[in-house]
């Protein structure tokens, strides 16, 4: 059985038809291999076919403007190019906009979205299929959601979201304008880190960049810190930002994410208006700027300083296996060096 209405096509091996008293069709219920195919068309003429299949039944509500259907799960929906596939154990409910430019789908219970090696899982989401050259899909969820997969350089990243999430799948790229209650785990490549924040903005999955706000915490290979805001830059550097009276802080604690990271220090701490971190596996650079308070407890010497800026570097291990460090400062107001039996 096939039912066609404009840019919509519904099919199944069997059908039940609900007819109003005036003879107009109100509803069609399709069973046994039911399928829905809706053509989304932009105002410029770009067409994107979207297809849904599942266990059914497939209920087509003819009283709804545009495409109104509900497909019981397990079910899946995807655009014809197959870039993004959404599956749901509960149901898929779709409504096409009156002008035909988009299809909104509500997916419920054990929902997954997959695109290549990237995955998203949640209990409920709304997806908007748009008609453009890259097959954009806008996904919105509001509840526990997990995303995982490699960036453009193959580095694995996992993002857990407790609250609101908005994601755009544009061709092969994932972009996240906003996410609330977030934890990011980057476990692939040299720049390994774990970050949590109340709010995440402008996450580009391809180059693994984002902005974080609200109670930011950061754990890297060489230590951990906290800040009011943070930015992850395209080169892998992280910038932690604070303010007067509530500076950004970073504590050097070797071996948190890499057991082989062992510079010649016992600990170090930095507080500043801005702290830029660059960690690359066995080396690190900390660039603290503005109202800097730093303390370094070395194996041989200890340093305390108050300055406008400070740079702390941990170098790769030398031939003896030692991992030396260097500390420099700009516009120093106070400095103290504590060596065995000597204080300067």
């Amino acid at each position: 059985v096939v039912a066609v209405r404009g840019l919509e096509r519904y099919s199944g091996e069997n059908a039940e038809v609900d007819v109003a008293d005036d003879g107009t069709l109100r509803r069609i219920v399709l069973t046994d291999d039911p399928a829905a195919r809706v053509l989304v068309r932009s105002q410029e003429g770009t067409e994107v076919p979207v297809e849904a299949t599942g266990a059914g039944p497939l209920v087509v509500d003819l009283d709804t403007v545009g495409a109104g259907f509900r497909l019981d799960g397990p079910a899946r929906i995807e655009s014809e190019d197959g870039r993004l596939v959404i599956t749901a154990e509960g149901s898929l409910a779709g409504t096409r906009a009156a002008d035909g430019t988009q299809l909104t789908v509500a997916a419920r219970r054990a929902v997954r979205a997959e695109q290549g090696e990237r995955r998203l899982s949640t209990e409920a989401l709304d997806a908007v299929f748009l008609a453009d050259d890259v097959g954009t899909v806008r996904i919105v969820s509001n509840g526990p959601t997990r995303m995982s997969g490699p960036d453009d350089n193959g580095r694995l990243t996992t993002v857990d979201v407790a609250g609101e999430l908005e994601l755009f799948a544009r061709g092969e790229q994932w972009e996240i304008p906003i996410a609330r209650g977030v934890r990011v785990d980057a476990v692939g490549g040299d720049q390994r880190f774990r970050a949590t924040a109340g709010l995440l903005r402008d996450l580009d999955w391809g180059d693994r960049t984002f902005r974080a706000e609200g109670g930011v915490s950061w754990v890297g290979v060489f230590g951990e810190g906290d800040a009011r805001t943070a930015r992850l830059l395209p080169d892998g550097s992280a910038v932690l930002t604070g303010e007067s009276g509530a500076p950004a802080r970073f504590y050097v604690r070797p071996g948190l994410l890499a057991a082989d990271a062992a510079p010649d220090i016992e600990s170090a701490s930095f507080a500043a208006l801005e702290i830029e971190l660059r960690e690359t596996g066995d080396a690190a650079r900390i660039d603290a700027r503005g109202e800097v308070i730093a303390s370094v407890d070395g194996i041989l010497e200890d340093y305390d300083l108050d300055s406008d800026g400070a740079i702390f570097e941990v170098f790769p291990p030398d031939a003896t296996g030692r991992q030396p460090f260097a500390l420099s400062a700009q516009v120093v107001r106070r400095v103290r060096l504590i060596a065995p039996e000597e204080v300067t």
Side-chain angles (χ1 to χ4, degrees):
V1 179
V2 176
V4 177
R5 180 179 63 177
L7 302 178
E8 311 148 31
R9 182 181 186 275
Y10 305 97
S11 62
E13 289 298 312
N14 297 288
E16 295 182 3
V17 179
D18 183 7
V19 181
D21 292 340
D22 61 1
T24 58
L25 294 177
R26 293 192 302 188
R27 177 177 296 182
I28 301 175
V29 180
L30 296 152
T31 56
D32 301 319
D33 295 326
R37 186 178 189 274
V38 178
L39 190 65
V40 182
R41 178 182 295 164
S42 71
Q43 294 179 350
E44 293 74 25
T46 301
E47 295 184 347
V48 176
V50 181
E51 298 185 357
T53 58
L58 169 62
V59 179
V60 182
D61 185 359
L62 301 177
D63 291 336
T64 301
V65 175
F69 70 86
R70 175 189 168 93
L71 177 60
D72 286 349
R76 62 182 281 149
I77 188 165
E78 60 188 303
S79 56
E80 190 174 67
D81 58 22
R83 289 176 178 171
L84 182 74
V85 179
I86 298 174
T87 61
E89 291 298 310
S91 64
L92 299 173
T95 304
R96 186 170 64 86
D99 60 4
T101 58
Q102 62 185 43
L103 174 69
T104 300
V105 176
R108 299 294 182 262
R109 194 161 64 82
V111 180
R112 289 174 62 90
E114 300 182 3
Q115 184 177 41
E117 297 181 76
R118 295 173 186 169
R119 306 282 188 273
L120 178 151
S121 59
T122 187
E123 277 301 300
L125 64 76
D126 293 334
V128 181
F129 290 82
L130 303 174
D132 58 23
D133 294 336
V134 294
T136 298
V137 182
R138 175 179 179 262
I139 292 176
V140 177
S141 66
N142 198 343
T145 302
R146 165 165 286 194
M147 295 167 285
S148 64
D151 64 10
D152 288 348
N153 295 311
R155 300 172 299 183
L156 181 62
T157 303
T158 300
V159 178
D160 290 292
V161 181
E164 175 191 3
L165 166 70
E166 181 182 32
L167 179 151
F168 283 88
R170 305 182 192 276
E172 302 299 327
Q173 300 302 317
W174 280 18
E175 301 168 3
I176 300 173
I178 189 170
R180 298 185 185 276
V182 182
R183 169 172 162 163
V184 181
D185 288 276
V187 297
D190 288 338
Q191 289 90 30
R192 287 165 285 175
F193 66 85
R194 178 185 308 125
T196 62
L199 179 65
L200 195 71
R201 293 186 182 276
D202 302 328
L203 189 154
D204 186 316
W205 203 283
D207 61 15
R208 202 161 70 175
T209 57
F210 59 77
R211 296 184 295 123
E213 305 172 12
V216 178
S217 69
W218 185 277
V219 179
V221 172
F222 284 89
E224 59 187 341
D226 55 78
R228 183 173 57 85
T229 66
R231 292 175 288 131
L232 189 62
L233 307 179
D235 66 359
S237 299
V239 180
L240 309 182
T241 305
E243 57 189 7
S244 293
R249 300 180 184 275
F250 190 78
Y251 306 91
V252 179
R253 292 177 179 144
L256 282 179
L257 294 184
D260 56 350
D264 292 347
I265 65 170
E266 295 179 357
S267 65
S269 65
F270 298 84
L273 298 182
E274 185 174 87
I275 300 175
E276 183 172 346
L277 310 171
R278 173 73 174 175
E279 299 180 312
T280 55
D282 60 358
R285 176 187 171 103
I286 299 172
D287 191 346
R289 298 182 285 265
E291 301 181 15
V292 177
I293 302 294
S295 177
V296 178
D297 297 332
I299 293 178
L300 299 178
E301 300 172 331
D302 298 341
Y303 305 85
D304 292 320
L305 65 87
D306 178 353
S307 67
D308 282 355
I311 296 176
F312 177 78
E313 294 181 272
V314 177
F315 301 101
D318 60 21
T320 66
R322 292 183 60 248
Q323 195 161 5
F325 71 90
L327 176 66
S328 61
Q330 303 84 43
V331 191
V332 176
R333 287 180 290 275
R334 180 185 64 86
V335 63
R336 185 174 70 154
L337 168 62
I338 305 173
E341 301 179 358
E342 182 180 0
V343 177
T344 303

